Short mmCIF file of all heavy atoms in Angstrom, two decimals:
data_model
loop_
_atom_site.label_atom_id
_atom_site.label_comp_id
_atom_site.label_asym_id
_atom_site.label_seq_id
_atom_site.Cartn_x
_atom_site.Cartn_y
_atom_site.Cartn_z
N SER A 103 -5.14 -20.41 -9.29
CA SER A 103 -6.58 -20.66 -9.32
C SER A 103 -7.32 -19.33 -9.47
O SER A 103 -6.80 -18.28 -9.05
CB SER A 103 -7.03 -21.37 -8.03
OG SER A 103 -6.95 -20.46 -6.94
N ILE A 104 -8.51 -19.41 -10.02
CA ILE A 104 -9.31 -18.19 -10.20
C ILE A 104 -9.68 -17.62 -8.82
O ILE A 104 -9.79 -16.42 -8.63
CB ILE A 104 -10.55 -18.46 -11.11
CG1 ILE A 104 -11.05 -17.17 -11.73
CG2 ILE A 104 -11.65 -19.18 -10.39
CD1 ILE A 104 -10.22 -16.64 -12.86
N GLU A 105 -9.82 -18.52 -7.83
CA GLU A 105 -10.17 -18.06 -6.47
C GLU A 105 -9.01 -17.24 -5.88
O GLU A 105 -9.23 -16.23 -5.21
CB GLU A 105 -10.47 -19.26 -5.54
CG GLU A 105 -11.78 -19.97 -5.84
CD GLU A 105 -11.70 -20.86 -7.08
OE1 GLU A 105 -10.58 -21.22 -7.51
OE2 GLU A 105 -12.78 -21.18 -7.63
N ASP A 106 -7.77 -17.68 -6.13
CA ASP A 106 -6.62 -16.91 -5.64
C ASP A 106 -6.54 -15.55 -6.34
O ASP A 106 -6.22 -14.54 -5.72
CB ASP A 106 -5.31 -17.69 -5.85
CG ASP A 106 -5.07 -18.70 -4.74
OD1 ASP A 106 -5.81 -18.67 -3.73
OD2 ASP A 106 -4.17 -19.54 -4.89
N PHE A 107 -6.84 -15.56 -7.65
CA PHE A 107 -6.85 -14.30 -8.41
C PHE A 107 -7.88 -13.34 -7.80
O PHE A 107 -7.60 -12.15 -7.54
CB PHE A 107 -7.19 -14.59 -9.88
CG PHE A 107 -6.78 -13.52 -10.87
CD1 PHE A 107 -6.46 -13.86 -12.19
CD2 PHE A 107 -6.74 -12.17 -10.52
CE1 PHE A 107 -6.09 -12.89 -13.11
CE2 PHE A 107 -6.38 -11.19 -11.43
CZ PHE A 107 -6.05 -11.55 -12.73
N GLU A 108 -9.07 -13.87 -7.50
CA GLU A 108 -10.13 -13.03 -6.91
C GLU A 108 -9.71 -12.51 -5.54
O GLU A 108 -9.93 -11.34 -5.20
CB GLU A 108 -11.44 -13.82 -6.81
CG GLU A 108 -12.10 -14.01 -8.15
CD GLU A 108 -13.22 -15.05 -8.16
OE1 GLU A 108 -13.39 -15.78 -7.16
OE2 GLU A 108 -13.90 -15.14 -9.19
N TRP A 109 -9.09 -13.40 -4.75
CA TRP A 109 -8.61 -12.98 -3.42
C TRP A 109 -7.63 -11.81 -3.55
O TRP A 109 -7.70 -10.82 -2.83
CB TRP A 109 -7.94 -14.18 -2.72
CG TRP A 109 -7.12 -13.79 -1.52
CD1 TRP A 109 -7.58 -13.53 -0.27
CD2 TRP A 109 -5.69 -13.60 -1.47
NE1 TRP A 109 -6.53 -13.19 0.56
CE2 TRP A 109 -5.37 -13.23 -0.15
CE3 TRP A 109 -4.66 -13.73 -2.41
CZ2 TRP A 109 -4.05 -12.97 0.25
CZ3 TRP A 109 -3.35 -13.47 -2.01
CH2 TRP A 109 -3.07 -13.10 -0.69
N GLN A 110 -6.69 -11.93 -4.52
CA GLN A 110 -5.68 -10.89 -4.72
C GLN A 110 -6.33 -9.55 -5.07
O GLN A 110 -5.97 -8.51 -4.51
CB GLN A 110 -4.70 -11.31 -5.83
CG GLN A 110 -3.62 -10.32 -6.13
CD GLN A 110 -2.53 -10.23 -5.07
OE1 GLN A 110 -1.44 -10.68 -5.27
NE2 GLN A 110 -2.83 -9.65 -3.94
N MET A 111 -7.29 -9.59 -5.99
CA MET A 111 -7.97 -8.34 -6.37
C MET A 111 -8.79 -7.79 -5.19
O MET A 111 -8.86 -6.58 -4.99
CB MET A 111 -8.90 -8.58 -7.57
CG MET A 111 -8.19 -8.93 -8.87
SD MET A 111 -6.98 -7.69 -9.42
CE MET A 111 -8.02 -6.33 -9.93
N ASN A 112 -9.39 -8.70 -4.42
CA ASN A 112 -10.19 -8.24 -3.28
C ASN A 112 -9.34 -7.50 -2.26
O ASN A 112 -9.72 -6.45 -1.75
CB ASN A 112 -10.89 -9.43 -2.60
CG ASN A 112 -12.04 -9.94 -3.44
OD1 ASN A 112 -12.56 -9.23 -4.28
ND2 ASN A 112 -12.44 -11.18 -3.22
N VAL A 113 -8.17 -8.06 -1.94
CA VAL A 113 -7.31 -7.40 -0.93
C VAL A 113 -6.69 -6.14 -1.52
O VAL A 113 -6.85 -5.04 -0.97
CB VAL A 113 -6.18 -8.35 -0.45
CG1 VAL A 113 -5.29 -7.61 0.56
CG2 VAL A 113 -6.72 -9.63 0.15
N ASN A 114 -5.98 -6.29 -2.63
CA ASN A 114 -5.12 -5.19 -3.10
C ASN A 114 -5.87 -4.11 -3.87
O ASN A 114 -5.46 -2.94 -3.83
CB ASN A 114 -4.01 -5.72 -4.01
CG ASN A 114 -2.92 -6.44 -3.24
OD1 ASN A 114 -3.03 -6.63 -2.04
ND2 ASN A 114 -1.88 -6.86 -3.94
N PHE A 115 -6.92 -4.50 -4.59
CA PHE A 115 -7.66 -3.46 -5.31
C PHE A 115 -8.94 -3.05 -4.56
O PHE A 115 -9.11 -1.89 -4.19
CB PHE A 115 -8.01 -3.85 -6.75
CG PHE A 115 -8.90 -2.81 -7.37
CD1 PHE A 115 -8.42 -1.52 -7.59
CD2 PHE A 115 -10.24 -3.06 -7.64
CE1 PHE A 115 -9.26 -0.51 -8.07
CE2 PHE A 115 -11.08 -2.05 -8.13
CZ PHE A 115 -10.58 -0.78 -8.35
N TRP A 116 -9.83 -4.02 -4.30
CA TRP A 116 -11.11 -3.64 -3.69
C TRP A 116 -10.90 -3.06 -2.30
O TRP A 116 -11.61 -2.14 -1.88
CB TRP A 116 -12.10 -4.80 -3.70
CG TRP A 116 -12.70 -4.93 -5.08
CD1 TRP A 116 -12.48 -5.93 -5.98
CD2 TRP A 116 -13.57 -3.99 -5.72
NE1 TRP A 116 -13.16 -5.66 -7.15
CE2 TRP A 116 -13.85 -4.49 -7.01
CE3 TRP A 116 -14.14 -2.78 -5.34
CZ2 TRP A 116 -14.67 -3.80 -7.90
CZ3 TRP A 116 -14.97 -2.10 -6.23
CH2 TRP A 116 -15.22 -2.62 -7.50
N GLY A 117 -9.91 -3.58 -1.57
CA GLY A 117 -9.63 -3.02 -0.24
C GLY A 117 -9.31 -1.54 -0.33
O GLY A 117 -9.78 -0.73 0.48
N VAL A 118 -8.53 -1.16 -1.34
CA VAL A 118 -8.15 0.24 -1.53
C VAL A 118 -9.36 1.05 -2.04
O VAL A 118 -9.61 2.18 -1.60
CB VAL A 118 -6.96 0.34 -2.52
CG1 VAL A 118 -6.66 1.79 -2.88
CG2 VAL A 118 -5.72 -0.33 -1.91
N ALA A 119 -10.13 0.44 -2.94
CA ALA A 119 -11.31 1.15 -3.48
C ALA A 119 -12.34 1.39 -2.37
O ALA A 119 -12.89 2.50 -2.26
CB ALA A 119 -11.92 0.35 -4.63
N TYR A 120 -12.59 0.38 -1.53
CA TYR A 120 -13.56 0.57 -0.42
C TYR A 120 -13.06 1.66 0.53
O TYR A 120 -13.83 2.52 0.95
CB TYR A 120 -13.74 -0.73 0.39
CG TYR A 120 -14.33 -1.90 -0.35
CD1 TYR A 120 -14.06 -3.21 0.06
CD2 TYR A 120 -15.17 -1.72 -1.46
CE1 TYR A 120 -14.59 -4.30 -0.60
CE2 TYR A 120 -15.70 -2.82 -2.13
CZ TYR A 120 -15.41 -4.11 -1.70
OH TYR A 120 -15.92 -5.19 -2.35
N GLY A 121 -11.78 1.60 0.86
CA GLY A 121 -11.21 2.59 1.80
C GLY A 121 -11.33 4.00 1.24
O GLY A 121 -11.66 4.95 1.95
N THR A 122 -11.08 4.13 -0.07
CA THR A 122 -11.16 5.45 -0.71
C THR A 122 -12.59 5.96 -0.71
O THR A 122 -12.87 7.10 -0.34
CB THR A 122 -10.62 5.35 -2.17
OG1 THR A 122 -9.28 4.86 -2.12
CG2 THR A 122 -10.65 6.68 -2.88
N LYS A 123 -13.51 5.08 -1.09
CA LYS A 123 -14.92 5.49 -1.21
C LYS A 123 -15.52 5.79 0.18
O LYS A 123 -16.26 6.75 0.34
CB LYS A 123 -15.68 4.33 -1.88
CG LYS A 123 -17.08 4.63 -2.31
CD LYS A 123 -17.14 5.34 -3.65
CE LYS A 123 -18.60 5.66 -4.00
NZ LYS A 123 -18.78 6.98 -4.54
N ALA A 124 -15.17 4.97 1.17
CA ALA A 124 -15.77 5.14 2.50
C ALA A 124 -15.26 6.41 3.18
O ALA A 124 -16.01 7.10 3.87
CB ALA A 124 -15.44 3.92 3.37
N PHE A 125 -13.97 6.74 2.97
CA PHE A 125 -13.40 7.88 3.70
C PHE A 125 -13.47 9.20 2.93
O PHE A 125 -13.31 10.26 3.55
CB PHE A 125 -11.94 7.58 4.09
CG PHE A 125 -11.83 6.73 5.34
CD1 PHE A 125 -11.58 5.38 5.26
CD2 PHE A 125 -12.01 7.30 6.60
CE1 PHE A 125 -11.49 4.59 6.41
CE2 PHE A 125 -11.93 6.54 7.75
CZ PHE A 125 -11.67 5.17 7.66
N LEU A 126 -13.68 9.17 1.61
CA LEU A 126 -13.64 10.43 0.85
C LEU A 126 -14.60 11.49 1.39
O LEU A 126 -14.19 12.63 1.65
CB LEU A 126 -13.86 10.16 -0.65
CG LEU A 126 -13.79 11.38 -1.55
CD1 LEU A 126 -12.45 12.12 -1.41
CD2 LEU A 126 -14.00 11.00 -3.02
N PRO A 127 -15.90 11.15 1.62
CA PRO A 127 -16.79 12.21 2.14
C PRO A 127 -16.37 12.71 3.52
O PRO A 127 -16.56 13.89 3.85
CB PRO A 127 -18.17 11.52 2.21
CG PRO A 127 -17.95 10.09 1.93
CD PRO A 127 -16.59 9.91 1.34
#
Side-chain angles (χ1 to χ4, degrees):
S103 70
I104 202 76
E105 289 75 19
D106 278 350
F107 200 150
E108 286 167 351
W109 166 81
Q110 180 73 107
M111 293 303 289
N112 287 339
V113 178
N114 286 6
F115 174 65
W116 282 110
V118 173
Y120 297 154
T122 302
K123 190 83 182 137
F125 279 101
L126 182 57

